[in-house]
Amino acid sequence: MASRYSPPPSRAGFPHITAPRYTSAGARAERSTMRLPVFFKRIWKYPQMDFEMAIWEMINLIIAPKKVFRSIYYHKQTKNSWSRDDPSFIVLLTFFLTLTAIAWGLAYTPSFASIVRLVFSLVFLHFLATSLICATAGYYLCGKFLKVPQQGGLGRAGIVAGGGDLEFMYCFEIGVRAFFPVWVFLYVIQYFMMPLLSQNYWISKFVGNSLYLIAFTFYSVITFLGYNALPFLHHTEVILFPIIILVVLWAVSLLGFNVAKHVVELWLF
């Protein structure tokens, strides 16, 4: 008697179809391709920018920088992304740098062409290019050497080893935020103190060189805090090592090298 159930047809001759795999690399690629256009599109949509948050970050980058990156951690919990789509911080700092460049130009190189050149130099070379270079270096070096190994153990905050992705836009945001104290000390405070700093007195060297030490120490500390906020990175304290070099160079410079005077001459001429 024939069986009531026929055997399933042979799969021979049929194409083998598998569901597409959504790998972490694919997810990262999709997130990057989706997030970058949104970030740049919002540059032209001022009503959508959170300038109040940007100003809060700027204030706290000087008085309590840990708060800034603690808020970024909360952003990760709600948006599932370390980087933000809000370009308000970059837009605001670019505006401040433009005003600063005009002020420097009017004071020291009062010609239209010189002021335009100075605006371009401060905004695109000093700020954006430097931030991109530091972001690229941080993205590559931290991703290669500071990421928790894939095998064994947990990262900070219980993150499984190798379980986090370093986002380039987040690295860029670290560089942008680290530049803000540099702008405060070297583009604003130094501007008002140049009548003293340009002199050949020892106190001029001490104050001017100390401004550069403070500015770049802030840069190193904020960069460290930015990467240290990522629980899948370890040994991020190595980012603070340049401070030792800065202190040594600062001490040596007090023997007779006026950093402020020589650097400003390079800016302006």
Side-chain angles (χ1 to χ4, degrees):
M1 181 177 178
S3 173
R4 295 176 57 188
Y5 301 100
S6 301
S10 172
R11 297 183 63 88
F14 289 87
H16 181 66
I17 301 175
T18 58
R21 294 184 178 181
Y22 195 64
T23 62
S24 60
R28 287 197 301 271
E30 180 171 337
R31 285 200 301 268
S32 298
T33 55
M34 292 178 63
R35 190 160 56 243
L36 280 173
V38 171
F39 179 88
F40 289 109
K41 285 179 182 178
R42 291 188 64 181
I43 290 179
W44 312 109
K45 298 179 180 179
Y46 296 102
Q48 297 183 10
M49 296 186 193
D50 191 353
F51 288 108
E52 183 178 351
M53 181 65 178
I55 293 173
W56 179 88
E57 287 187 349
M58 289 178 175
I59 294 172
N60 281 280
L61 283 171
I62 300 297
I63 62 176
K66 283 186 177 181
K67 288 185 179 180
V68 175
F69 296 101
R70 192 177 300 128
S71 70
I72 289 176
Y73 180 79
Y74 297 145
H75 179 268
K76 169 64 176 177
Q77 304 305 309
T78 56
K79 301 293 186 179
N80 196 31
S81 170
W82 293 103
S83 61
R84 294 175 174 173
D85 293 331
D86 185 5
S88 57
F89 193 100
I90 296 177
V91 171
L92 200 58
L93 186 50
T94 298
F95 174 71
F96 290 159
L97 272 167
T98 301
L99 294 181
T100 306
I102 293 173
W104 278 91
L106 291 175
Y108 296 100
T109 57
S111 70
F112 179 77
S114 297
I115 292 175
V116 171
R117 179 187 59 80
L118 194 58
V119 170
F120 177 85
S121 178
L122 265 60
V123 172
F124 292 98
L125 298 181
H126 293 204
F127 174 41
L128 294 177
T130 300
S131 299
L132 281 172
I133 291 171
C134 292
T136 303
Y139 180 77
Y140 174 76
L141 295 175
C142 292
K144 185 175 180 63
F145 299 108
L146 301 185
K147 194 171 182 181
V148 177
Q150 294 283 347
Q151 299 296 328
L154 295 175
R156 289 175 290 114
I159 298 295
V160 177
D165 295 324
L166 187 59
E167 303 171 9
F168 179 81
M169 282 303 299
Y170 178 74
C171 298
F172 180 64
E173 290 175 2
I174 292 175
V176 167
R177 281 156 179 77
F179 190 87
F180 178 74
V182 175
W183 172 76
V184 170
F185 288 101
L186 302 187
Y187 296 80
V188 179
I189 296 178
Q190 182 177 228
Y191 173 80
F192 291 104
M193 299 188 69
M194 277 308 295
L196 169 65
L197 303 182
S198 60
Q199 303 300 318
N200 292 321
Y201 306 127
W202 184 85
I203 189 64
S204 301
K205 298 181 181 68
F206 176 79
V207 174
N209 296 3
S210 297
L211 278 179
Y212 281 80
L213 173 65
I214 294 170
F216 290 114
T217 297
F218 261 100
Y219 194 97
S220 298
V221 170
I222 291 173
T223 302
F224 159 74
L225 291 174
Y227 288 104
N228 190 62
L230 302 177
F232 50 84
L233 297 182
H234 63 167
H235 304 314
T236 51
E237 60 274 6
V238 299
I239 299 173
L240 296 173
F241 286 174
I243 296 177
I244 300 175
I245 300 175
L246 290 172
V247 172
V248 172
L249 293 176
W250 170 79
V252 172
S253 69
L254 295 180
L255 298 177
F257 185 76
N258 190 327
V259 176
K261 184 177 180 180
H262 288 83
V263 170
V264 169
E265 288 177 355
L266 291 176
W267 288 3
L268 301 176
F269 302 105

